PDB file of all heavy atoms in Angstrom:
ATOM      1  N   ILE A 175     -12.281  13.885  -3.812  1.00  0.00           N
ATOM      2  CA  ILE A 175     -11.355  14.430  -4.803  1.00  0.00           C
ATOM      3  C   ILE A 175     -12.217  15.159  -5.827  1.00  0.00           C
ATOM      4  O   ILE A 175     -12.876  14.528  -6.664  1.00  0.00           O
ATOM      5  CB  ILE A 175     -10.521  13.322  -5.479  1.00  0.00           C
ATOM      6  CG1 ILE A 175      -9.735  12.529  -4.432  1.00  0.00           C
ATOM      7  CG2 ILE A 175      -9.574  13.930  -6.515  1.00  0.00           C
ATOM      8  CD1 ILE A 175      -8.998  11.333  -4.987  1.00  0.00           C
ATOM      9  N   VAL A 180     -13.002  11.811 -11.646  1.00  0.00           N
ATOM     10  CA  VAL A 180     -13.212  10.927 -10.495  1.00  0.00           C
ATOM     11  C   VAL A 180     -14.714  10.702 -10.354  1.00  0.00           C
ATOM     12  O   VAL A 180     -15.496  11.656 -10.345  1.00  0.00           O
ATOM     13  CB  VAL A 180     -12.622  11.544  -9.206  1.00  0.00           C
ATOM     14  CG1 VAL A 180     -12.967  10.697  -7.992  1.00  0.00           C
ATOM     15  CG2 VAL A 180     -11.115  11.703  -9.341  1.00  0.00           C
ATOM     16  N   HIS A 184     -15.782   6.285  -6.332  1.00  0.00           N
ATOM     17  CA  HIS A 184     -14.778   5.806  -7.277  1.00  0.00           C
ATOM     18  C   HIS A 184     -14.092   4.513  -6.829  1.00  0.00           C
ATOM     19  O   HIS A 184     -13.969   3.570  -7.596  1.00  0.00           O
ATOM     20  CB  HIS A 184     -13.728   6.912  -7.475  1.00  0.00           C
ATOM     21  CG  HIS A 184     -12.865   6.691  -8.658  1.00  0.00           C
ATOM     22  ND1 HIS A 184     -13.094   7.312  -9.863  1.00  0.00           N
ATOM     23  CD2 HIS A 184     -11.778   5.904  -8.834  1.00  0.00           C
ATOM     24  CE1 HIS A 184     -12.190   6.914 -10.728  1.00  0.00           C
ATOM     25  NE2 HIS A 184     -11.366   6.063 -10.126  1.00  0.00           N
ATOM     26  N   ALA A 185     -13.646   4.499  -5.564  1.00  0.00           N
ATOM     27  CA  ALA A 185     -12.879   3.348  -5.066  1.00  0.00           C
ATOM     28  C   ALA A 185     -13.078   3.197  -3.566  1.00  0.00           C
ATOM     29  O   ALA A 185     -13.587   4.098  -2.898  1.00  0.00           O
ATOM     30  CB  ALA A 185     -11.394   3.533  -5.380  1.00  0.00           C
ATOM     31  N   VAL A 196      -6.893  -1.421  -2.214  1.00  0.00           N
ATOM     32  CA  VAL A 196      -7.795  -0.561  -2.970  1.00  0.00           C
ATOM     33  C   VAL A 196      -8.655  -1.429  -3.880  1.00  0.00           C
ATOM     34  O   VAL A 196      -8.179  -2.405  -4.460  1.00  0.00           O
ATOM     35  CB  VAL A 196      -7.033   0.516  -3.784  1.00  0.00           C
ATOM     36  CG1 VAL A 196      -6.117  -0.099  -4.812  1.00  0.00           C
ATOM     37  CG2 VAL A 196      -7.991   1.496  -4.440  1.00  0.00           C
ATOM     38  N   ASP A 198     -11.511  -0.831  -7.023  1.00  0.00           N
ATOM     39  CA  ASP A 198     -12.254   0.063  -7.898  1.00  0.00           C
ATOM     40  C   ASP A 198     -13.732  -0.290  -7.795  1.00  0.00           C
ATOM     41  O   ASP A 198     -14.103  -1.460  -7.842  1.00  0.00           O
ATOM     42  CB  ASP A 198     -11.772  -0.092  -9.341  1.00  0.00           C
ATOM     43  CG  ASP A 198     -12.501   0.854 -10.276  1.00  0.00           C
ATOM     44  OD1 ASP A 198     -12.077   2.027 -10.352  1.00  0.00           O
ATOM     45  OD2 ASP A 198     -13.494   0.434 -10.905  1.00  0.00           O
ATOM     46  N   ASN A 203     -13.692   6.088 -15.139  1.00  0.00           N
ATOM     47  CA  ASN A 203     -12.354   6.285 -15.704  1.00  0.00           C
ATOM     48  C   ASN A 203     -11.270   5.412 -15.079  1.00  0.00           C
ATOM     49  O   ASN A 203     -10.096   5.561 -15.404  1.00  0.00           O
ATOM     50  CB  ASN A 203     -11.961   7.752 -15.600  1.00  0.00           C
ATOM     51  CG  ASN A 203     -12.862   8.601 -16.467  1.00  0.00           C
ATOM     52  OD1 ASN A 203     -12.947   8.392 -17.659  1.00  0.00           O
ATOM     53  ND2 ASN A 203     -13.566   9.536 -15.854  1.00  0.00           N
ATOM     54  N   GLY A 204     -11.645   4.525 -14.194  1.00  0.00           N
ATOM     55  CA  GLY A 204     -10.708   3.550 -13.656  1.00  0.00           C
ATOM     56  C   GLY A 204      -9.871   4.010 -12.480  1.00  0.00           C
ATOM     57  O   GLY A 204      -9.727   5.194 -12.201  1.00  0.00           O
ATOM     58  N   THR A 205      -9.328   3.019 -11.777  1.00  0.00           N
ATOM     59  CA  THR A 205      -8.391   3.207 -10.676  1.00  0.00           C
ATOM     60  C   THR A 205      -7.131   2.443 -11.070  1.00  0.00           C
ATOM     61  O   THR A 205      -7.217   1.347 -11.624  1.00  0.00           O
ATOM     62  CB  THR A 205      -8.968   2.648  -9.364  1.00  0.00           C
ATOM     63  OG1 THR A 205     -10.201   3.294  -9.090  1.00  0.00           O
ATOM     64  CG2 THR A 205      -8.003   2.851  -8.193  1.00  0.00           C
ATOM     65  N   TYR A 206      -5.968   3.030 -10.783  1.00  0.00           N
ATOM     66  CA  TYR A 206      -4.698   2.455 -11.206  1.00  0.00           C
ATOM     67  C   TYR A 206      -3.744   2.370 -10.029  1.00  0.00           C
ATOM     68  O   TYR A 206      -3.718   3.259  -9.182  1.00  0.00           O
ATOM     69  CB  TYR A 206      -4.046   3.327 -12.285  1.00  0.00           C
ATOM     70  CG  TYR A 206      -4.898   3.505 -13.514  1.00  0.00           C
ATOM     71  CD1 TYR A 206      -5.956   4.410 -13.523  1.00  0.00           C
ATOM     72  CD2 TYR A 206      -4.633   2.782 -14.672  1.00  0.00           C
ATOM     73  CE1 TYR A 206      -6.734   4.585 -14.660  1.00  0.00           C
ATOM     74  CE2 TYR A 206      -5.403   2.951 -15.813  1.00  0.00           C
ATOM     75  CZ  TYR A 206      -6.457   3.860 -15.799  1.00  0.00           C
ATOM     76  OH  TYR A 206      -7.227   4.016 -16.915  1.00  0.00           O
ATOM     77  N   VAL A 207      -2.954   1.310  -9.987  1.00  0.00           N
ATOM     78  CA  VAL A 207      -1.841   1.187  -9.053  1.00  0.00           C
ATOM     79  C   VAL A 207      -0.602   1.057  -9.923  1.00  0.00           C
ATOM     80  O   VAL A 207      -0.512   0.128 -10.740  1.00  0.00           O
ATOM     81  CB  VAL A 207      -1.998  -0.029  -8.127  1.00  0.00           C
ATOM     82  CG1 VAL A 207      -0.755  -0.207  -7.268  1.00  0.00           C
ATOM     83  CG2 VAL A 207      -3.231   0.120  -7.248  1.00  0.00           C
ATOM     84  N   ASN A 208       0.317   2.021  -9.770  1.00  0.00           N
ATOM     85  CA  ASN A 208       1.523   2.046 -10.605  1.00  0.00           C
ATOM     86  C   ASN A 208       1.178   1.964 -12.092  1.00  0.00           C
ATOM     87  O   ASN A 208       1.796   1.227 -12.855  1.00  0.00           O
ATOM     88  CB  ASN A 208       2.493   0.941 -10.207  1.00  0.00           C
ATOM     89  CG  ASN A 208       3.024   1.157  -8.812  1.00  0.00           C
ATOM     90  OD1 ASN A 208       3.226   2.285  -8.378  1.00  0.00           O
ATOM     91  ND2 ASN A 208       3.233   0.078  -8.095  1.00  0.00           N
ATOM     92  N   GLU A 209       0.149   2.712 -12.475  1.00  0.00           N
ATOM     93  CA  GLU A 209      -0.309   2.832 -13.868  1.00  0.00           C
ATOM     94  C   GLU A 209      -0.909   1.551 -14.443  1.00  0.00           C
ATOM     95  O   GLU A 209      -1.143   1.448 -15.641  1.00  0.00           O
ATOM     96  CB  GLU A 209       0.801   3.390 -14.765  1.00  0.00           C
ATOM     97  CG  GLU A 209       1.238   4.775 -14.302  1.00  0.00           C
ATOM     98  CD  GLU A 209       2.233   5.431 -15.237  1.00  0.00           C
ATOM     99  OE1 GLU A 209       2.145   5.223 -16.466  1.00  0.00           O
ATOM    100  OE2 GLU A 209       3.099   6.154 -14.722  1.00  0.00           O
ATOM    101  N   ARG A 210      -1.196   0.565 -13.583  1.00  0.00           N
ATOM    102  CA  ARG A 210      -1.916  -0.648 -14.001  1.00  0.00           C
ATOM    103  C   ARG A 210      -3.377  -0.503 -13.610  1.00  0.00           C
ATOM    104  O   ARG A 210      -3.694  -0.333 -12.431  1.00  0.00           O
ATOM    105  CB  ARG A 210      -1.364  -1.888 -13.310  1.00  0.00           C
ATOM    106  CG  ARG A 210      -0.116  -2.420 -13.932  1.00  0.00           C
ATOM    107  CD  ARG A 210       0.234  -3.700 -13.260  1.00  0.00           C
ATOM    108  NE  ARG A 210       0.068  -4.766 -14.234  1.00  0.00           N
ATOM    109  CZ  ARG A 210       0.365  -6.013 -13.996  1.00  0.00           C
ATOM    110  NH1 ARG A 210       0.792  -6.377 -12.815  1.00  0.00           N
ATOM    111  NH2 ARG A 210       0.229  -6.909 -14.927  1.00  0.00           N
ATOM    112  N   LEU A 212      -6.992  -1.323 -12.501  1.00  0.00           N
ATOM    113  CA  LEU A 212      -7.591  -2.376 -11.675  1.00  0.00           C
ATOM    114  C   LEU A 212      -8.865  -2.905 -12.320  1.00  0.00           C
ATOM    115  O   LEU A 212      -9.592  -2.160 -12.990  1.00  0.00           O
ATOM    116  CB  LEU A 212      -7.920  -1.837 -10.284  1.00  0.00           C
ATOM    117  CG  LEU A 212      -6.781  -1.225  -9.479  1.00  0.00           C
ATOM    118  CD1 LEU A 212      -7.267  -0.867  -8.089  1.00  0.00           C
ATOM    119  CD2 LEU A 212      -5.597  -2.162  -9.409  1.00  0.00           C
ATOM    120  N   LEU A 225       2.217   4.306  -6.787  1.00  0.00           N
ATOM    121  CA  LEU A 225       1.364   5.400  -7.252  1.00  0.00           C
ATOM    122  C   LEU A 225      -0.068   4.907  -7.261  1.00  0.00           C
ATOM    123  O   LEU A 225      -0.357   3.821  -7.769  1.00  0.00           O
ATOM    124  CB  LEU A 225       1.760   5.833  -8.660  1.00  0.00           C
ATOM    125  CG  LEU A 225       3.106   6.517  -8.804  1.00  0.00           C
ATOM    126  CD1 LEU A 225       3.394   6.798 -10.269  1.00  0.00           C
ATOM    127  CD2 LEU A 225       3.141   7.795  -7.992  1.00  0.00           C
ATOM    128  N   LEU A 226      -0.968   5.700  -6.724  1.00  0.00           N
ATOM    129  CA  LEU A 226      -2.389   5.387  -6.682  1.00  0.00           C
ATOM    130  C   LEU A 226      -3.088   6.474  -7.482  1.00  0.00           C
ATOM    131  O   LEU A 226      -2.967   7.660  -7.162  1.00  0.00           O
ATOM    132  CB  LEU A 226      -2.856   5.357  -5.230  1.00  0.00           C
ATOM    133  CG  LEU A 226      -4.256   4.895  -4.921  1.00  0.00           C
ATOM    134  CD1 LEU A 226      -4.539   3.522  -5.523  1.00  0.00           C
ATOM    135  CD2 LEU A 226      -4.466   4.853  -3.420  1.00  0.00           C
ATOM    136  N   ILE A 227      -3.778   6.075  -8.550  1.00  0.00           N
ATOM    137  CA  ILE A 227      -4.385   7.030  -9.476  1.00  0.00           C
ATOM    138  C   ILE A 227      -5.885   6.783  -9.533  1.00  0.00           C
ATOM    139  O   ILE A 227      -6.337   5.655  -9.737  1.00  0.00           O
ATOM    140  CB  ILE A 227      -3.772   6.879 -10.882  1.00  0.00           C
ATOM    141  CG1 ILE A 227      -2.254   7.073 -10.809  1.00  0.00           C
ATOM    142  CG2 ILE A 227      -4.412   7.855 -11.866  1.00  0.00           C
ATOM    143  CD1 ILE A 227      -1.505   6.527 -12.002  1.00  0.00           C
ATOM    144  N   PHE A 228      -6.642   7.873  -9.397  1.00  0.00           N
ATOM    145  CA  PHE A 228      -8.101   7.816  -9.480  1.00  0.00           C
ATOM    146  C   PHE A 228      -8.533   8.572 -10.732  1.00  0.00           C
ATOM    147  O   PHE A 228      -8.550   9.797 -10.757  1.00  0.00           O
ATOM    148  CB  PHE A 228      -8.747   8.422  -8.238  1.00  0.00           C
ATOM    149  CG  PHE A 228      -8.326   7.747  -6.960  1.00  0.00           C
ATOM    150  CD1 PHE A 228      -7.395   8.329  -6.134  1.00  0.00           C
ATOM    151  CD2 PHE A 228      -8.845   6.514  -6.615  1.00  0.00           C
ATOM    152  CE1 PHE A 228      -7.000   7.716  -4.963  1.00  0.00           C
ATOM    153  CE2 PHE A 228      -8.455   5.883  -5.445  1.00  0.00           C
ATOM    154  CZ  PHE A 228      -7.528   6.482  -4.619  1.00  0.00           C
ATOM    155  N   GLY A 229      -8.846   7.849 -11.790  1.00  0.00           N
ATOM    156  CA  GLY A 229      -9.409   8.455 -12.989  1.00  0.00           C
ATOM    157  C   GLY A 229      -8.422   9.023 -13.980  1.00  0.00           C
ATOM    158  O   GLY A 229      -8.401   8.599 -15.124  1.00  0.00           O
ATOM    159  N   ASP A 230      -7.620   9.968 -13.595  1.00  0.00           N
ATOM    160  CA  ASP A 230      -6.745  10.662 -14.546  1.00  0.00           C
ATOM    161  C   ASP A 230      -5.364  10.857 -13.950  1.00  0.00           C
ATOM    162  O   ASP A 230      -5.220  11.475 -12.900  1.00  0.00           O
ATOM    163  CB  ASP A 230      -7.363  12.011 -14.914  1.00  0.00           C
ATOM    164  CG  ASP A 230      -6.616  12.734 -16.011  1.00  0.00           C
ATOM    165  OD1 ASP A 230      -5.372  12.765 -15.986  1.00  0.00           O
ATOM    166  OD2 ASP A 230      -7.280  13.293 -16.898  1.00  0.00           O
ATOM    167  N   ILE A 231      -4.358  10.353 -14.632  1.00  0.00           N
ATOM    168  CA  ILE A 231      -2.991  10.418 -14.138  1.00  0.00           C
ATOM    169  C   ILE A 231      -2.517  11.853 -13.907  1.00  0.00           C
ATOM    170  O   ILE A 231      -1.677  12.116 -13.067  1.00  0.00           O
ATOM    171  CB  ILE A 231      -2.035   9.673 -15.100  1.00  0.00           C
ATOM    172  CG1 ILE A 231      -0.669   9.491 -14.466  1.00  0.00           C
ATOM    173  CG2 ILE A 231      -1.929  10.371 -16.437  1.00  0.00           C
ATOM    174  CD1 ILE A 231       0.231   8.546 -15.216  1.00  0.00           C
ATOM    175  N   HIS A 232      -3.070  12.806 -14.650  1.00  0.00           N
ATOM    176  CA  HIS A 232      -2.628  14.196 -14.541  1.00  0.00           C
ATOM    177  C   HIS A 232      -3.372  14.985 -13.468  1.00  0.00           C
ATOM    178  O   HIS A 232      -2.934  16.065 -13.093  1.00  0.00           O
ATOM    179  CB  HIS A 232      -2.772  14.900 -15.885  1.00  0.00           C
ATOM    180  CG  HIS A 232      -1.969  14.234 -16.954  1.00  0.00           C
ATOM    181  ND1 HIS A 232      -0.593  14.264 -16.988  1.00  0.00           N
ATOM    182  CD2 HIS A 232      -2.352  13.482 -18.015  1.00  0.00           C
ATOM    183  CE1 HIS A 232      -0.161  13.577 -18.024  1.00  0.00           C
ATOM    184  NE2 HIS A 232      -1.213  13.084 -18.660  1.00  0.00           N
ATOM    185  N   LEU A 233      -4.493  14.457 -12.978  1.00  0.00           N
ATOM    186  CA  LEU A 233      -5.316  15.220 -12.041  1.00  0.00           C
ATOM    187  C   LEU A 233      -5.463  14.595 -10.663  1.00  0.00           C
ATOM    188  O   LEU A 233      -5.711  15.307  -9.695  1.00  0.00           O
ATOM    189  CB  LEU A 233      -6.711  15.444 -12.645  1.00  0.00           C
ATOM    190  CG  LEU A 233      -6.735  16.214 -13.958  1.00  0.00           C
ATOM    191  CD1 LEU A 233      -8.143  16.229 -14.528  1.00  0.00           C
ATOM    192  CD2 LEU A 233      -6.212  17.626 -13.766  1.00  0.00           C
ATOM    193  N   ALA A 234      -5.349  13.293 -10.554  1.00  0.00           N
ATOM    194  CA  ALA A 234      -5.607  12.634  -9.265  1.00  0.00           C
ATOM    195  C   ALA A 234      -4.640  11.475  -9.053  1.00  0.00           C
ATOM    196  O   ALA A 234      -5.029  10.317  -8.977  1.00  0.00           O
ATOM    197  CB  ALA A 234      -7.050  12.153  -9.200  1.00  0.00           C
ATOM    198  N   MET A 235      -3.334  11.807  -8.949  1.00  0.00           N
ATOM    199  CA  MET A 235      -2.320  10.786  -8.725  1.00  0.00           C
ATOM    200  C   MET A 235      -1.637  11.057  -7.384  1.00  0.00           C
ATOM    201  O   MET A 235      -1.264  12.184  -7.088  1.00  0.00           O
ATOM    202  CB  MET A 235      -1.283  10.793  -9.836  1.00  0.00           C
ATOM    203  CG  MET A 235      -0.209   9.741  -9.639  1.00  0.00           C
ATOM    204  SD  MET A 235       0.877   9.438 -11.062  1.00  0.00           S
ATOM    205  CE  MET A 235       1.463  11.051 -11.469  1.00  0.00           C
ATOM    206  N   PHE A 236      -1.480   9.998  -6.585  1.00  0.00           N
ATOM    207  CA  PHE A 236      -0.906  10.115  -5.260  1.00  0.00           C
ATOM    208  C   PHE A 236       0.142   9.029  -5.068  1.00  0.00           C
ATOM    209  O   PHE A 236       0.011   7.933  -5.584  1.00  0.00           O
ATOM    210  CB  PHE A 236      -1.991   9.959  -4.189  1.00  0.00           C
ATOM    211  CG  PHE A 236      -3.109  10.947  -4.346  1.00  0.00           C
ATOM    212  CD1 PHE A 236      -4.198  10.674  -5.160  1.00  0.00           C
ATOM    213  CD2 PHE A 236      -3.059  12.169  -3.692  1.00  0.00           C
ATOM    214  CE1 PHE A 236      -5.218  11.590  -5.316  1.00  0.00           C
ATOM    215  CE2 PHE A 236      -4.073  13.092  -3.846  1.00  0.00           C
ATOM    216  CZ  PHE A 236      -5.154  12.800  -4.656  1.00  0.00           C
ATOM    217  N   THR A 268       1.113  13.924  -6.328  1.00  0.00           N
ATOM    218  CA  THR A 268       2.231  14.008  -7.249  1.00  0.00           C
ATOM    219  C   THR A 268       1.965  14.916  -8.431  1.00  0.00           C
ATOM    220  O   THR A 268       2.876  15.214  -9.185  1.00  0.00           O
ATOM    221  CB  THR A 268       2.610  12.606  -7.777  1.00  0.00           C
ATOM    222  OG1 THR A 268       1.494  12.081  -8.467  1.00  0.00           O
ATOM    223  CG2 THR A 268       3.047  11.707  -6.657  1.00  0.00           C
TER     224      THR A 268
END
Side-chain angles (χ1 to χ4, degrees):
I175 302 174
V180 174
H184 195 98
V196 62
D198 182 83
N203 294 302
T205 302
Y206 301 79
V207 174
N208 295 326
E209 300 186 34
R210 280 186 113 176
L212 303 185
L225 292 176
L226 187 54
I227 303 162
F228 302 102
D230 187 317
I231 191 169
H232 301 290
L233 300 173
M235 180 168 53
F236 303 88
T268 61

